[in-house]
């Protein structure tokens, strides 16, 4: 067949189409090579759920949370229990209507797994209770389990357990009838403060700051035995949030010991008690506080100044270091040209 015989309208269209296809494919490949890689930002589960909702439409009951609660059974294997608890916690945070529709019986069911032999399941149960505690009507019911949660924190040396349990307790009101138990467990709480992980220390400090405001617990906290190196907790190299909570705790103790009720009794303290380490004649607390005034985080600076001022304004109590702290603080805060640190200027503006 001659070449000219092959040049028909049909063959020309076919060839042109093929050539065009090859060109487009090549162009697409080159564009892909030259373009930057596609890196989508992670989409949080909560945001994903919201974006898939039609506007102005009330979300119905999916039944997911109810189904998870019904499937929760002690006979399940540990992995299944953990996955169900993870789902329950997620649903309580994301599905407000379904979480609010739960009952106190559901809270009792979840709390029953605090007795599980597996530590991971105990922690998951605490996390689920923490989620439910965000709903007002369940707070009182969950408070019934405070003694058990306290015993767990004291009896198991596990950082995740301490963190989960203390986070839950920090969101609850402590019933008065638990105060006698708390007095017995204070040494364990002090051990967590001195030996636990940084996150556990932050949580236990928040808890102790709350307890320090209870008149019938203050002396027991003050007289609690601590390690000789307790003041290393004030070293500037610690995380800022840990230092801040430590300073808040000291401020609460200082305020409590200056109340008429506390000063009306001649309290006796052990040699290595928290009171002697912080407020005793040989305490080096003032040195630690002065070192924190120049901390990089302003929140820590301000709180350190608050504690120093509280000690100075003690009006002749047994804080022997207050006078020394006052003169050293004045020379430290004001340089030769009368400049003031950020923390001190902030405090003056608040007064």
């Amino acid at each position: 067949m001659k070449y000219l015989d092959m040049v028909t309208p049909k063959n020309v269209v076919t060839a042109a189409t093929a050539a065009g296809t090859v060109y487009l494919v090549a162009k697409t490949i080159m564009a892909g090579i030259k373009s930057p890689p596609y890196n989508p930002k992670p989409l949080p589960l909560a945001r994903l759920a919201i974006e898939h909702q039609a506007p102005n439409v009330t979300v119905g009951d999916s039944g997911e949370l109810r189904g998870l609660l019904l499937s929760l059974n002690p006979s399940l294997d540990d992995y299944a229990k953990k996955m169900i608890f993870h789902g329950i916690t997620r649903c309580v945070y994301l599905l407000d209507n379904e979480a609010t529709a739960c009952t106190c019986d559901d809270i009792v069911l979840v709390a029953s797994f605090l007795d599980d032999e597996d530590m991971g399941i105990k922690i998951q149960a605490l996390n689920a209770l923490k989620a439910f505690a965000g709903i007002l009507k369940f707070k009182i019911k969950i408070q019934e389990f405070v003694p058990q949660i306290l015993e767990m924190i004291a009896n198991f040396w596990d950082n995740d357990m301490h963190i989960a349990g203390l986070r839950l307790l920090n969101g609850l009101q402590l019933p008065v009838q638990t105060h006698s138990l708390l007095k017995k467990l204070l040494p364990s709480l002090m051990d967590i403060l001195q030996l636990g992980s940084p996150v556990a220390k932050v949580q236990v400090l928040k808890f102790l700051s709350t307890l320090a405001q209870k008149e019938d617990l203050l002396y027991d906290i003050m007289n609690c035995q601590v390690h000789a190196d307790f003041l290393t907790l004030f070293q500037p190299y610690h995380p800022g949030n840990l230092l801040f909570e430590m300073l808040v705790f000291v401020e609460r103790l200082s305020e409590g010991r200056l109340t008429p009720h506390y000063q009306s009794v001649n309290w006796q303290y052990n040699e290595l008690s928290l009171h002697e380490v912080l407020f005793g004649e040989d305490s080096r607390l003032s040195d630690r506080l002065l070192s924190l005034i120049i901390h990089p985080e302003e929140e820590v600076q301000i709180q350190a100044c608050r504690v120093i001022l509280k000690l100075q304004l003690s009006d002749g109590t047994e804080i022997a270091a207050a006078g020394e702290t006052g003169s050293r603080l004045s020379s430290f805060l004001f340089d030769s040209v009368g400049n003031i640190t950020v923390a001190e200027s902030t405090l003056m503006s608040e007064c």
Side-chain angles (χ1 to χ4, degrees):
M1 181 181 294
K2 296 181 179 181
Y3 175 75
L4 292 176
D5 294 336
M6 297 176 62
V7 183
T8 63
K10 181 179 180 180
N11 290 342
V12 170
V13 171
T14 302
T17 302
T21 301
V22 171
Y23 171 74
L24 290 174
V25 171
K27 186 175 181 181
T28 302
I29 293 173
M30 291 303 297
I33 293 173
K34 293 180 180 180
S35 65
Y38 176 59
N39 292 318
K41 294 182 180 179
L43 190 64
L45 182 59
R47 181 181 162 195
L48 184 64
I50 293 172
E51 290 188 356
H52 280 76
Q53 295 176 9
N56 301 322
V57 175
T58 302
V59 180
D61 191 338
S62 68
E64 182 180 359
L65 179 55
R66 175 53 49 199
L68 288 168
L69 288 167
L70 289 174
S71 64
L72 194 57
N73 192 300
S75 62
L76 295 171
D77 61 74
D78 291 346
Y79 178 78
K81 292 177 188 175
K82 291 176 184 177
M83 293 305 296
I84 291 172
F85 267 119
H86 179 75
I88 290 172
T89 304
R90 175 181 59 83
C91 286
V92 173
Y93 282 124
L94 291 178
L95 306 176
D96 291 340
N97 292 338
E98 295 186 34
T100 305
C102 290
T103 67
C104 289
D105 288 338
D106 297 319
I107 301 300
V108 173
L109 172 64
V110 171
S112 68
F113 286 85
L114 296 176
D115 294 322
D116 197 280
E117 294 182 358
D118 185 86
M119 182 64 69
I121 294 171
K122 292 178 186 287
I123 294 170
Q124 291 282 1
L126 288 169
N127 291 336
L129 289 173
K130 174 67 170 66
F132 275 114
I135 301 172
L136 185 60
K137 73 174 188 177
F138 294 132
K139 281 186 177 288
I140 296 178
K141 187 62 181 178
I142 296 175
Q143 286 172 11
E144 295 179 8
F145 303 99
V146 166
Q148 183 178 2
I149 297 167
L150 287 169
E151 293 280 7
M152 290 169 59
I153 293 172
N155 293 335
F156 297 101
W157 188 260
D158 183 278
N159 273 314
D160 292 332
M161 162 71 72
H162 296 160
I163 294 168
L166 288 165
R167 277 178 175 163
L168 174 55
L169 292 175
N170 283 329
L172 299 173
Q173 292 290 330
L174 297 175
V176 176
Q177 57 268 29
T178 62
H179 286 194
S180 58
L181 176 61
L182 281 164
K183 291 181 181 182
K184 298 177 182 178
L185 300 183
L186 281 173
S188 297
L189 296 175
M190 284 295 170
D191 285 340
I192 296 173
L193 174 57
Q194 295 168 99
L195 303 173
S197 69
V199 179
K201 288 178 180 179
V202 169
Q203 293 302 319
V204 79
L205 278 169
K206 290 181 178 181
F207 189 60
L208 287 170
S209 294
T210 299
L211 300 185
Q213 298 175 76
K214 311 291 184 183
E215 288 185 345
D216 59 330
L217 293 176
L218 183 58
Y219 171 72
D220 295 275
I221 296 174
M222 290 281 203
N223 201 38
C224 202
Q225 294 292 105
V226 296
H227 298 169
D229 61 349
F230 182 83
L231 290 181
T232 58
L233 289 169
F234 294 87
Q235 294 287 5
Y237 57 75
H238 287 301
N241 62 335
L242 174 57
L243 290 170
F244 175 78
E245 295 298 340
M246 191 72 214
L247 291 166
V248 170
F249 177 46
V250 175
E251 183 183 15
R252 296 289 180 269
L253 293 175
S254 181
E255 291 173 344
R257 64 194 292 269
L258 298 179
T259 60
H261 170 78
Y262 196 80
Q263 290 189 341
S264 64
V265 180
N266 183 23
W267 303 104
Q268 300 297 318
Y269 305 100
N270 295 320
E271 183 178 355
L272 271 180
S273 66
L274 181 62
H275 177 276
E276 292 304 295
V277 171
L278 293 178
F279 308 117
E281 293 182 2
D282 298 326
S283 174
R284 305 301 300 174
L285 177 62
S286 59
D287 295 331
R288 297 288 186 259
L289 294 175
L290 289 171
S291 69
L292 294 181
I293 294 179
I294 57 172
H295 191 273
E297 297 186 31
E298 185 177 338
E299 186 180 47
V300 175
Q301 292 181 29
I302 294 172
Q303 190 59 35
C305 283
R306 287 178 62 90
V307 173
I308 290 173
L309 293 176
K310 288 287 174 66
L311 295 179
Q312 288 182 334
L313 297 175
S314 57
D315 292 331
T317 61
E318 66 274 21
I319 307 176
E324 177 191 0
T325 301
S327 59
R328 297 179 62 187
L329 176 62
S330 299
S331 61
F332 188 88
L333 290 177
F334 295 89
D335 61 19
S336 58
V337 293
N339 292 326
I340 306 174
T341 64
V342 173
E344 182 68 2
S345 62
T346 305
L347 278 174
M348 285 184 174
S349 66
E350 291 179 352
C351 296

